[in-house]
């Protein structure tokens, strides 16, 4: 079975009692038992629900994994994984992590003595120096946010494996349509389903996918024990959205490629960040996705003026929905970082991140052209 056939058919059989082609939403907290502990596979929705099973079968198939688990959010999924570690364990991660991931380690897990060792891009050749007896996990995000840097999953996960360290890849930006980390040597794939998988900016959700039964059992236990389960309704929406993931990702990628060309040819743009520029991306990704960042030759005021004039690019946090969004890292996601540190990281006042939606490209390009003109006036 190929990608879209799996997305549409895996886990989705017509419902047995009525023949409904679309599965019902099992909005129930609990399930009747014939006698104590004898039931049809579900007892309480915090532990499992038929809608979870459907989405998990879809997600496992799309990521080429045996097991998937759905969660209340991306960060809920990570919390479940980290709860399987022990006090004193350490996690090595590449710099440029999603802000919420960094915050979770820095402000929460550190209190329980699970520490994070960050490796910057220029330290990458010395990565193995960071793995020691205490290191239990290597956390990798590619492409990164907001500079769309691409890391070599096969190479880096191979180095971690040599030291007995598991690799977890945050595959949120690429989606399983463009990149399958398990096939490249990763042990666990992590998603914020809030983004491309949900795809319509209407749910918050997370998922983990693995081929390792032990990891899967621990993740399932953690979901139940901590209570980071999603709602059956949200998971039903996720299942529905996964069915169109391929066509959406094709259009996101196609639109972003047009915008990449427009920005690259525009004298008002200093630098464009897009995975297409990376030779590694050409090898490990099937396309480059809908995320693109650009540094404009504009002052902070002009940049804000441009962003405020967009008609179709809505100024908002998040990404991966059908509608185009724009984000200004210096004043939004990275505002808490001092300006000089921020600039060293490559996040200047003129940097703008686009989540390119699936609208008609002519309208998106016209919107960009017009807002740039107004900002320069
Ligand atoms: C949004 C996001 C997360 C966190 O997911 P939530 O669903 O918001 O909890 C993690 N990683 C990346 C790359 C994200 O974009």
């Amino acid at each position: 079975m190929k990608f879209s056939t799996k997305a549409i058919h895996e886990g989705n059989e017509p419902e047995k009692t009525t023949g409904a082609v679309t599965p019902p939403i099992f909005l129930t907290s609990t399930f009747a038992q014939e006698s104590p502990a004898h039931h049809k596979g579900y007892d309480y929705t915090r532990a499992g629900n038929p809608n979870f099973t459907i989405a998990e079968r879809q997600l496992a198939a799309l990521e080429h994994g045996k097991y998937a688990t759905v969660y209340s959010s991306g960060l809920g999924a990570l919390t479940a994984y980290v709860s399987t570690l022990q006090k004193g364990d350490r996690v090595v991660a590449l710099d440029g992590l999603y802000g919420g991931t960094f915050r979770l380690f820095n402000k929460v897990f550190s209190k329980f003595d699970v520490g994070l060792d960050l490796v910057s891009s220029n330290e990458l050749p010395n990565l193995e120096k960071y793995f020691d007896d205490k290191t239990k996990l290597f956390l990798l995000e590619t492409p990164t946010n907001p500079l769309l840097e691409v890391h070599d999953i096969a190479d880096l996960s191979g180095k971690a494996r040599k030291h007995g360290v598991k690799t977890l890849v945050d595959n949120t930006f690429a989606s399983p349509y463009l990149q399958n980390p398990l096939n490249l040597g990763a042990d666990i794939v992590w998603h914020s389903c809030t983004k491309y998988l949900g795809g319509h900016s209407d749910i918050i959700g997370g998922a983990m996918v693995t081929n390792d039964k032990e990891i899967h059992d621990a993740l399932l236990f953690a979901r139940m024990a901590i209570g980071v389960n999603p709602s059956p309704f949200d998971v039903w929406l996720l299942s529905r959205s996964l069915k169109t993931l391929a066509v959406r990702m094709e259009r996101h990628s196609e639109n972003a490629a047009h915008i990449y060309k427009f920005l690259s040819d525009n004298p008002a743009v200093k630098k464009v960040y897009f995975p297409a520029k990376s030779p590694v991306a050409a090898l490990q990704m099937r396309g480059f996705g809908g995320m693109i960042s650009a540094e404009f030759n504009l002052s902070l005021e002009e940049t804000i003026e441009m962003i405020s004039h967009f008609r179709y690019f809505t100024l908002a946090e998040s990404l991966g929905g059908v509608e185009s969004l724009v984000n200004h890292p210096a004043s939004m996601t990275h505002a808490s970082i001092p300006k000089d540190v921020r600039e060293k990281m490559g996040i200047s006042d003129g940097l703008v991140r686009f989540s390119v939606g699936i609208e008609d490209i002519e309208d998106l390009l016209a919107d960009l052209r017009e807002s740039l003109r107004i900002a320069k006036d």
Side-chain angles (χ1 to χ4, degrees):
M1 251 195 291
K2 299 192 76 164
F3 192 91
S4 281
T5 314
K6 285 197 254 185
I8 294 166
H9 291 282
E10 194 61 57
N12 279 271
E13 292 90 26
E15 200 266 325
K16 297 230 167 40
T17 53
T18 62
V21 165
T22 300
I25 310 173
F26 291 88
L27 279 178
T28 186
S29 56
T30 189
F31 299 80
Q33 310 195 7
E34 288 130 53
S35 59
H38 286 97
H39 51 71
K40 298 186 163 68
Y42 302 96
D43 59 359
Y44 191 60
T45 284
R46 175 152 43 71
N49 177 286
N51 290 117
F52 300 0
T53 307
I54 295 168
E56 286 165 353
R57 282 183 58 187
Q58 288 171 290
L59 286 165
L62 298 182
E63 279 292 11
H64 300 258
K66 286 202 189 106
Y67 315 101
T69 327
V70 289
Y71 296 91
S72 53
S73 68
L75 290 179
L78 184 64
T79 300
Y81 185 84
V82 175
S83 80
T84 70
L85 302 179
Q86 304 294 325
K87 188 170 136 196
D89 284 352
R90 300 200 65 83
V91 176
V92 169
L94 298 190
D95 215 355
L97 285 181
Y98 173 72
T101 304
F102 180 73
R103 182 178 55 208
L104 191 51
F105 277 100
N106 210 23
K107 301 263 188 200
V108 182
F109 300 147
S110 62
K111 292 194 294 185
F112 302 94
D113 197 19
V114 173
L116 183 71
D117 300 311
L118 280 180
V119 182
S120 63
S121 285
N122 50 12
E123 270 293 291
L124 213 50
N126 300 320
L127 175 68
E128 291 184 65
K129 277 203 332 222
Y130 288 80
F131 297 132
D132 66 19
D133 295 352
K134 298 227 176 275
T135 312
K136 291 289 149 34
L137 185 72
F138 174 46
L139 177 53
L140 173 62
E141 201 174 309
T142 179
T144 63
N145 176 32
L147 299 180
L148 287 315
E149 245 187 295
V150 175
H151 295 297
D152 188 330
I153 298 173
D155 176 50
L156 299 175
S157 64
K159 287 181 173 148
R161 172 159 296 127
K162 258 179 37 196
H163 295 265
V165 174
K166 304 269 185 219
T167 298
L168 184 151
V169 176
D170 184 341
N171 203 27
T172 300
F173 269 38
S175 92
Y177 185 67
L178 300 179
Q179 175 173 283
N180 295 121
L182 295 181
N183 286 357
L184 299 164
D187 299 283
I188 310 126
V189 175
W190 172 34
H191 280 286
S192 166
C193 303
T194 312
K195 316 296 166 55
Y196 285 107
L197 302 187
H200 298 71
S201 307
D202 53 9
I203 60 165
I204 300 281
M208 290 283 180
V209 187
T210 183
N211 278 311
D212 186 322
K213 175 89 167 51
E214 222 173 284
I215 293 175
H216 173 65
D217 289 347
L219 282 169
L220 206 53
F221 172 82
R223 180 177 71 191
M224 185 273 295
I226 303 173
V228 278
N229 58 284
S231 127
F233 180 40
D234 285 1
V235 176
W236 182 89
L237 282 170
L238 171 64
S239 276
R240 173 199 159 119
S241 295
L242 287 173
K243 295 176 187 177
T244 56
L245 182 63
V247 285
R248 285 187 285 110
M249 291 315 293
E250 285 288 339
R251 181 67 167 261
H252 282 296
S253 301
E254 189 187 312
N255 279 356
H258 282 290
I259 289 178
Y260 174 49
K261 173 145 195 354
F262 170 82
L263 293 171
S264 304
D265 295 346
N266 197 301
V269 178
K270 216 186 272 178
K271 187 159 183 200
V272 188
Y273 300 90
F274 190 52
K277 300 178 96 164
S278 152
V280 177
L283 294 173
Q284 76 183 14
M285 300 177 76
R286 280 182 288 273
F288 304 118
M291 299 304 298
I292 186 163
S293 295
E295 192 183 343
F296 289 84
N297 283 317
L298 299 175
S299 66
L300 182 61
E301 293 69 35
E302 288 169 332
T303 308
I304 289 173
E305 169 136 30
M306 173 182 73
I307 291 170
S308 316
H309 274 95
F310 285 135
R311 200 161 154 206
Y312 303 119
F313 287 93
T314 303
L315 181 63
E317 302 284 0
S318 202
L319 60 112
V322 291
E323 63 288 299
S324 292
L325 298 180
V326 62
N327 177 296
H328 184 238
S331 65
M332 296 168 77
T333 44
H334 295 68
S336 61
I337 304 169
K339 189 175 154 90
D340 55 325
V341 180
R342 209 162 65 208
E343 283 181 345
K344 268 203 208 104
M345 294 165 68
I347 298 165
S348 65
D349 286 346
L351 186 78
V352 176
R353 188 193 78 180
F354 299 94
S355 170
V356 181
I358 65 169
E359 298 95 336
D360 291 293
I361 188 62
E362 295 80 2
D363 291 326
L364 296 181
L365 289 173
D367 198 16
L368 275 174
R369 232 178 259 122
E370 177 62 11
S371 304
L372 248 177
R373 191 187 60 75
I374 290 170
K376 297 285 275 179
D377 260 1

